[in-house]
Every structure is written in structure tokens, then in C-alpha cells.
Amino acid sequence: MKHYILTCFLCLLMSIGKIHAQFTNGVTGLLHMPNAEMQRDGTFVLGGNFLSKENLPSDWWWGYDTYNYFVNITFLDRLEIAYVMTLVQGKPNTGYHWPEFTYGKFVNQDRHFAARIQAVKEGEWWKHMPSIVLGVNDPTTGGRSDYTDMNVSGNNNGYFNRWYIAATKHFETRYGELGVHAAYLYNKRTDYPLNGPAVGVNFRPNFDRDLNFIVEYDAKTINIGATYSIWADHFNFLVELQQGRYLSAGLVYKVNLLGGNNWKAKVF
């Protein structure tokens, strides 16, 4: 009984308390760029991250490091949906009437949805076929209860907006599994315009398939990082260096509500 209580406590601590880490859009991918991997049907994800200001849109509420947290679920075998909250600090002289004692403290959060659908599974129709995913992050904006406005251009709400198509193909090598990924991203933002290709690779060595090395060009910067999975892929840790310099890291907890082991896909 004591061991059961201790295990439950550790699960709660790891999934809620250690959220000091990683740039993420709350959905499956590499570090910043999307890919075409999917979680298993029925996989539920809870995660949180420390976000370096270098990883955020340049107009992100006057520039500072922050945190986010998210929930994510994959269902109908090909559909993944996430809800992401990013913490906002109070700042003086911005037109927002924050109480003076809140300056420099987290007083609000930016909220957005993300979704992706797998149009083609890897090896479907043809043994060399890559998997293909269509996705969107932060597609709407608006105020109060109205989030039907699709006009997220410029530099106001819709900070994390992006539309994309991504493809992924895996290869078994003598030393481990190599994943090759390509994507095209698009938005109409002025604070971080996206309209170009992204490419990346990941490698899981034979000596430890829970370890995953990642290198990517996310359509704006070159980033390197790694993830590590423990407890049958229930906990996933991520560390990354954007532009090889700016450190972020993250933690997610994954559980499959339909039972069985989780597919080794990562959330970024």
C-alpha cells in the first residue's frame, strides 16, 4: 500500500510540479517544427514547459521568458486536438490596467487550440509511402467569448498561428532508427512570419530506443535537442537549444486510455 501511495505521489509530482521546461505548440512533432508522426489512438497527454523568450514571437507581450501548459488527446486513429495555455505577465504603460503590484508577475494567460489530422499513414498504399499530416495552431482570435474571428494576421491575438503540411519517413539502420521529416508552414503574422519549408531528422540509437536525438530547421532557425522516455513512454523529457544557444526544456505525461503501450512519438 505504501508503495502504491508513493507511486501515485511521484506521478502527480512529475506530471504537475516539474513544468520548468520546452518550447511547444502542444502537439506531436520534433522541437519546433511539425512532423507526421501520430500518437496511438486514445492517447491523452498532459504537459508543461519553460519557454525562453527567444523561442516566442518577437512581439510576445514585451519580451520575457514564460511558461505554458497543455492537454492533448488523439482519437479516431488519425485526429489529434490540443488546448494550450501560455502565461502572461503584467507590464506597466501598455494600455492594460494591471494593478501595480502585478508588474513582472504572471497575471493572465493566452489560450489557443491546435489540431492535426493524418491524411496518410506511413507505408499505406505503398511500402515507401511517408506519413502525411495536415495541421493548424491558434487558428482563431477575438475577445471575451467570441473566438470565431479567423483574422490572425499582424501582431495581435493569434500569436502562435501556423498552418502546415508535414511528411515523415522512418528508416532502420545498423545503429538505430532514423526519422526524416519535411514540412511547409504558413501564416500572415508580422511578428514571426512563416511561409516556407522546414526539415529535420531524429535518431533513436539501438543501445537505448527511449533516447531520441533531434536536429531541425523550423523554417526560421536551426535547433538541436533530445528527448528521453521513461516508464513505458509515460513520461517524456525534452531539452533543446534554439539556434544552438537558447535553452528550453519540457516534460509531458502520456497515458493511453484504451490500454497498451504508447507509440514512441514525441510532443513539442
Side-chain angles (χ1 to χ4, degrees), residues 58-124:
S58 59
D59 287 341
W60 171 253
W61 292 79
W62 322 292
Y64 52 83
D65 300 336
T66 189
Y67 303 85
N68 78 351
Y69 59 101
F70 59 90
V71 292
N72 171 305
I73 189 166
T74 300
F75 58 99
L76 301 178
D77 195 36
R78 296 177 186 254
L79 181 62
E80 182 178 340
I81 295 178
Y83 186 57
V84 188
M85 287 69 69
T86 307
L87 301 186
V88 175
Q89 289 185 4
K91 290 288 184 179
N93 304 320
T94 61
Y96 291 86
H97 301 294
W98 307 116
E100 186 173 352
F101 65 85
T102 67
Y103 294 166
K105 299 179 180 179
F106 294 111
V107 295
N108 201 352
Q109 57 188 4
D110 176 84
R111 297 170 291 276
H112 76 267
F113 286 97
R116 59 203 306 271
I117 185 168
Q118 190 172 50
V120 180
K121 291 180 177 292
E122 188 169 347
E124 191 173 30

Side-chain angles (χ1 to χ4, degrees), residues 22-33 35 37-39 43-49 70-74 80 82 84 116 204 212 214 226-227 229 233 236-239 249-254 263-268:
Q22 164 193 2
F23 182 91
T24 180
N25 279 286
V27 291
T28 305
L30 295 182
L31 299 171
H32 295 187
M33 71 166 282
N35 67 9
E37 292 181 344
M38 292 290 288
Q39 309 292 338
T43 299
F44 173 80
V45 176
L46 171 67
N49 305 276
F70 59 90
V71 292
N72 171 305
I73 189 166
T74 300
E80 182 178 340
V84 188
R116 59 203 306 271
R204 299 179 186 278
N212 182 28
I214 302 170
T227 66
S229 303
D233 200 34
N236 291 257
F237 302 88
L238 182 147
V239 176
L251 170 67
V252 300
Y253 171 71
K254 297 199 298 182
W263 166 248
K264 302 286 187 175
K266 298 296 174 256
V267 172
F268 73 101

